[in-house]
Structures are given as structure tokens and as C-alpha cells.
Amino acid sequence: MGKSRIEEWTQLRGLAFMAIVMQHSIAEYIYRADIQPADSIMLTMIYHLTRFGTPTFVFLSAVLMFYKYGEGVRYFPFIRKRFESVYVPFLFWTLIYWLYVHVFTPQFWQIGGRDWGSLLRELFIPQIGYQLWFIIMIVQFYIFFPIMAVIYRSVRSRLEPLNEKRRNQSVLAIIAVTGILYMMLLYLSYYQMGSWSEKLGNPWSEMIQYRSYSFLMYGFYFVMGAVCAANIEKWRTWCMKLLPWSGLVFLGMYIKMGYDVIRGSGEVVNLNISTYLKPSTFIIIVAQMLLLYGLLMLLQPHSRKFTRLLAWMGRYSFGGYLVHALVIYAIAYITRPLDLGGYHMLFTLLTFILTVLASLGISYTLSHVPSLSWTVGAGRRKPRQGTSQESEFRKEAPALR
């Protein structure tokens, strides 16, 4: 018998997927030359409501791994399964995005005009399929997960003999210490590492430049996933008890981040001020994740239609994540030649809605075609009663890293 299915994880994935699509829809319009200040400010406000997207999928990836394999894992079967369900679709969609850009250029059809080197670079540093960088990052987590699982079991074995009070205090201490260390890492990343990159030569300079591709830069969210997987009921209780405080922290940081971006931008809004690898962004993300988790727990018995919709979106969101940038490209092909002065907010919302619908529709269709289901994560079979069918997928991509 497999472990029981945790409904709120799939629902949270659906919310995170929508946040990711909204971020990339905003990125398509907010930097256009004809945008008006009112639209820039409104899109910035919406943008800061979506910062939880990528870290939430890091958290979900970790919690699913520790929940299913925390007590033991056979390394090579584990890696093979992850490779088939995550990396193989990445290879396929990387080729699709590369072809989308290159086949429409005349040079591509000339002898020697195919830039295969750029395709090779896309496999390590995705740029065309800008959201695919996340797959590169999460695969690193899979490679090192068995080591993390050993640490996880060791910590659990030391905490289990303690009484509940001491155990809670120990877990909170672990969260606090790792949170402080992670804040220090983010401080160095945001305020110091840029200058290091200029001083150091290759390969260190490039490693620092592309540090957002490293799973170490998202380490705290893996710790959160491990804590949640260790005691789901306790995690649910904490999230619900913290609701007033997580809401207040989120509201305060939301105001601060909006002010920082508007103050720090020139004529064009600079959303990179709110990068994931910034201490203040980290605070709002954690607060929002705890807030959303608590709210989902409150909604479970009262809004079944809404939670079922979120769960459906979560089930097909991996394929939707892989394809959604291509849908945005297709929409942009129509909208970029247009003069949208005064309508950027409206077109962003329309792009968001169309992209969510089209991406999930494509994912749903591909998952039900046996010969193509591997392109969206090795199929989306109906979960059997009493088993856990959570797909360990990971999502988002800051086009605005």
C-alpha cells in the first residue's frame, strides 16, 4: 500500500502554476516602450502577489521526495525514474523551443547555417525556453537527495525519543538556524556576489553569474519540505495558527517591496529588484507560502468546487509549465506589433487567462495520448485508491531573474 494522498499539495501546485504564468505574462508587457505609468504600477503590484511560485515548487518537490522516499531509497532506480519523468521531457521541450526560434530564420536552411552550439547551450543554460532553467536546478536536488535522506532519517531518529515540547523546540530551532544561514547566503548573493563575479576569472565568474541555477540557492525550501513531510498534521496546525501573523508579515513586506521597486526604478520598472535571491523577497515568500497553506486548510470543507479545480490544475501543471512560455510566444507574435498604450494591464490579464487555459489543455491532451504522455512527465494516470500519485514536478522560471 502506498502512502495516502495529500490533497493540499496538489492544490498548492495549481496556485503556484497560476502565479508563474502571471509572472511571465507581466514580463511580456511591462517593459514595452508604450506602457503608461498607471499600468506599470498596477502590474508591479500584481507581480509581488506571485513571488511564491518557484519557491513553492521547490518546497513541493522536497516534501514529496521526503514523504515518499525519506525512509529509504535505492539510488539508481530513483534517478532513472526522475530522469524519465523530468529530464526527458526537458530535452524534448528544449528542442521544441530551439526549433521555434531557428526554423523561421533563413540562415537555418542554408548549408552550415544550423547553430547546433546554441542548442547545446540551451541544455545547460536555457534562455529561449526561459522557464526550463528550473529543471536544471531541481535535477541537482534529485542527484543529492539520497544524501539528504540519510540526514533526514538521522535527525528524525534523534527527535523521536523526545517529548512533544522538546521536539517542537528542536524543530523550530532547526528552522530558525537554517533560516538565518539562508538569509546570510541571500545577502551575499544580492549585495556581494556581483562584485565577486567581476573580479574572479572563469569558471568562478560564470558559476556566480548563473548561481540561480544552483539548488543550493534554494536550500531553505528543501528544509521546509523535510519538516512538513516529517509531521504533516503538525505542519497543518502550525500554518493555521500562524495565519494572522503570516498575513501581517506578508502585507508589510508586500508594501515594502512595491515601494522599493518603484523607488529604485527609472522610467522603466525594474522587477529584478525583487529577485528571489534577495533577503526581503525571501521573507515575503515564506510568509505567503504559510498563509496560502493555512488558507487551503480552512477551505477544504467549505469550497470543494474551488479546491477540486485547483487540484485538477495541479495534476496537469507540469506539462502546462513546460509549454506555457511557447503559448506566450504565440500570443506575443500577435500583440507585439500593436500599439497598446493604456491597455497593457488588460492585455496582461487576457494573456494570463489564455495561457493558463491553453497550457493546461495541451498538457491534458498530451497526457491522454499514450505515445506522447512522456512529453509531460511520463503520463498522468488516474491515481489508485489509497496511493500517492503526486508528480514530483517543479515549476516556474523568472524571466526576470
Side-chain angles (χ1 to χ4, degrees):
M1 293 291 290
K3 291 189 175 182
S4 60
R5 181 173 180 168
I6 310 301
E7 293 291 339
E8 68 264 20
W9 295 348
T10 313
Q11 297 159 7
L12 189 59
R13 185 183 302 136
L15 287 173
F17 170 72
M18 288 193 291
I20 292 162
V21 175
M22 178 56 80
Q23 286 185 47
H24 296 152
S25 298
I26 290 172
E28 175 59 38
Y29 293 95
I30 198 167
Y31 292 120
R32 296 193 182 185
D34 60 342
I35 191 170
Q36 295 184 2
D39 284 343
S40 292
I41 293 172
M42 286 300 299
L43 291 179
T44 300
M45 293 172 65
I46 296 174
Y47 181 75
H48 285 133
L49 294 173
T50 67
R51 302 307 290 143
F52 70 97
T54 292
T56 297
F57 282 115
V58 178
F59 165 76
L60 291 171
S61 299
V63 74
L64 286 165
M65 290 293 97
F66 286 112
Y67 182 65
K68 295 176 68 174
Y69 302 106
E71 301 306 321
V73 57
R74 291 189 298 163
Y75 187 77
F76 289 105
F78 171 81
I79 292 298
R80 185 181 68 250
K81 183 178 180 181
R82 303 280 82 69
F83 179 85
E84 292 173 352
S85 62
V86 176
Y87 196 71
V88 170
F90 162 79
L91 295 176
F92 172 77
W93 289 103
T94 296
L95 177 62
I96 294 297
Y97 281 97
W98 185 83
L99 289 173
Y100 171 81
V101 170
H102 286 80
V103 297
F104 295 107
T105 60
Q107 294 82 358
F108 182 83
W109 300 103
Q110 299 173 3
I111 297 177
R114 295 165 182 79
D115 184 10
W116 301 113
S118 66
L119 175 59
L120 182 63
R121 287 193 297 272
E122 288 292 315
L123 297 177
F124 296 95
I125 307 175
Q127 299 293 318
I128 301 172
Y130 48 77
Q131 83 284 19
L132 299 179
W133 72 271
F134 190 76
I135 307 299
I136 300 295
M137 185 273 291
I138 210 65
V139 164
Q140 300 168 48
F141 167 61
Y142 293 151
I143 292 172
F144 291 100
F145 173 76
I147 300 174
M148 299 180 190
V150 171
I151 299 173
Y152 172 79
R153 291 194 297 272
S154 176
V155 173
R156 284 196 67 177
S157 66
R158 286 167 171 77
L159 293 179
E160 285 175 352
L162 303 177
N163 60 51
E164 185 176 2
K165 182 178 180 181
R166 289 286 304 279
R167 188 162 56 243
N168 289 343
Q169 290 173 344
S170 299
V171 172
L172 291 175
I174 292 172
I175 294 174
V177 170
T178 54
I180 292 170
L181 293 175
Y182 186 66
M183 287 276 285
M184 294 170 61
L185 174 63
L186 293 185
Y187 175 84
L188 293 175
S189 173
Y190 191 77
Y191 295 103
Q192 302 294 328
M193 289 187 184
S195 60
W196 296 355
S197 178
E198 296 174 0
K199 296 176 183 178
L200 298 174
N202 289 330
W204 300 108
S205 179
E206 288 200 7
M207 290 177 63
I208 292 174
Q209 181 182 356
Y210 294 105
R211 59 191 179 276
S212 62
Y213 286 64
S214 170
F215 81 105
L216 295 175
M217 300 304 298
Y218 305 87
F220 182 78
Y221 305 110
F222 295 122
V223 175
M224 287 181 63
V227 171
C228 176
N231 194 328
I232 299 170
E233 288 302 324
K234 179 68 70 174
W235 179 266
R236 289 167 170 169
T237 302
W238 283 354
C239 288
M240 294 180 71
K241 286 185 176 179
L242 287 172
L243 271 176
W245 305 108
S246 57
L248 287 174
V249 172
F250 168 74
L251 180 61
M253 294 305 300
Y254 176 75
I255 295 171
K256 180 187 184 305
M257 290 178 63
Y259 175 75
D260 288 346
V261 169
I262 294 174
R263 183 185 63 177
S265 302
E267 293 183 2
V268 178
V269 170
N270 181 13
L271 295 181
N272 286 316
I273 294 173
S274 297
T275 175
Y276 291 120
L277 306 184
K278 182 180 180 181
S280 58
T281 308
F282 163 65
I283 295 173
I284 193 174
I285 287 171
V286 172
Q288 192 172 15
M289 286 173 60
L290 296 174
L291 176 65
L292 291 173
Y293 204 111
L295 290 175
L296 281 175
M297 297 311 304
L298 291 179
L299 284 173
Q300 295 302 321
H302 305 295
S303 303
R304 294 303 300 167
K305 290 184 178 180
F306 178 65
T307 53
R308 281 199 295 267
L309 175 62
L310 289 179
W312 183 88
M313 296 175 68
R315 283 195 296 274
Y316 298 101
S317 54
F318 182 41
Y321 173 74
L322 294 171
V323 75
H324 81 272
L326 195 63
V327 177
I328 292 177
Y329 280 147
I331 295 173
Y333 181 79
I334 299 173
T335 62
R336 285 182 182 179
L338 303 177
D339 180 6
L340 301 179
Y343 294 97
H344 289 81
M345 174 74 176
L346 174 62
F347 272 81
T348 299
L349 296 177
L350 290 174
T351 298
F352 164 73
I353 294 171
L354 290 174
T355 302
V356 167
L357 294 176
S359 300
L360 292 177
I362 293 171
S363 178
Y364 176 85
T365 301
L366 291 176
S367 69
H368 286 79
V369 178
S371 60
L372 295 175
S373 61
W374 59 270
T375 64
V376 289
R380 295 279 182 237
R381 293 181 295 273
K382 281 190 175 183
R384 296 189 303 273
Q385 188 70 24
T387 63
S388 176
Q389 291 289 334
E390 301 296 332
S391 59
E392 308 79 29
F393 99 102
R394 19 281 104 229
K395 298 155 179 45
E396 213 253 272
L400 314 163
R401 274 191 303 288

